Structures are given as structure tokens and as C-alpha cells.
Amino acid sequence: MPFELGLTVAWEKMDRKHVWFVMEKLNYRLSKSLSDLNGTDPYIHKGTVEGVFREMGNAFVRKKGPSVSQMWNIYREVRKQIPGILRLCGARSAFEARAFQEISYAANVAAEKIVG
């Protein structure tokens, strides 16, 4: 999503309060595709849920947020709901707009229940 990342970087330059992170599956792939971000250290998650949670924990270390254990609990709770959400939305993919919105809502509800 180079376009969206570009918008994010531009927003940060306009408003210094904005913080952004780059999560990447493979090491060094970012420098090949987005050379403008040289000097930015991406968080390498290796394409696994465990890796994404680990790197999110590293990225948000200064912010109060869910622990990695809580992220796992939220993930498991939402993962169980996805087939039903897809059925209700008549969607084939979790990335269709309506299904994605419903999954996001389910994640927020689960986070509120688990993290408080």
C-alpha cells in the first residue's frame, strides 16, 4: 500500500503529533519497493500472526495498549466469529467492505471485553 503509506508520511510532516510504523513481512523488501523510506526501520513480522503481535508490541511499547497475550485472546475471539460474519454479509472475503467493517466492530467489542 505505497499510496496510503505516502499519505501517512505526508500527514506526519504536516502534524508532528502523528506517529506511524511500517510492518513488513520480509526484511529488506521495503528498501526495494519504497526507497524514499530508507532510514525507516520496519518491523519485520515474517507473515505470521505471532510475528505481527510481537512487532506490534515492539512498535507500541511507549503506548498503553494490549499485551501480546491479550492480542492473542482478542484474535481468537474474533477468529471464531468470522465465518458467521461472512455468512451474514454474504461475503466471500474478510476484506469486502461490509465484512471488514463488521469484523472491525467485533474486534473492538472483544478488545473492550478483554482489555477493558
Side-chain angles (χ1 to χ4, degrees):
M1 297 196 291
F3 177 74
E4 291 85 350
L5 185 55
L7 290 174
T8 300
V9 173
W11 184 260
E12 187 252 349
K13 292 195 183 303
M14 292 170 35
D15 175 17
R16 294 288 176 192
K17 296 176 198 159
H18 188 76
V19 178
W20 55 274
F21 303 97
V22 177
M23 303 284 176
E24 176 60 83
K25 180 178 178 180
L26 303 172
N27 207 4
Y28 305 112
R29 187 166 72 170
L30 181 67
S31 60
K32 288 180 185 175
S33 59
L34 295 170
S35 61
D36 290 354
L37 290 178
N38 283 343
T40 300
D41 293 327
Y43 293 88
I44 309 300
H45 55 72
K46 302 190 190 282
T48 66
V49 174
E50 180 180 10
V52 169
F53 291 163
R54 179 189 64 243
E55 296 307 324
M56 286 176 66
N58 288 328
F60 298 119
V61 73
R62 287 184 236 128
K63 301 228 180 238
K64 176 104 174 86
S67 67
V68 172
S69 173
Q70 289 170 320
M71 285 186 232
W72 273 108
N73 289 334
I74 294 164
Y75 170 77
R76 288 183 191 106
E77 177 70 27
V78 173
R79 187 78 189 142
K80 288 187 290 190
Q81 295 178 43
I82 290 177
I85 291 171
L86 293 178
R87 222 176 7 266
L88 273 172
C89 295
R92 286 183 267 173
S93 164
F95 298 104
E96 291 181 33
R98 179 61 188 216
F100 190 85
Q101 181 181 30
E102 294 294 330
I103 292 166
S104 295
Y105 178 76
N108 281 319
V109 169
E112 190 61 39
K113 182 175 93 176
I114 292 165
V115 178

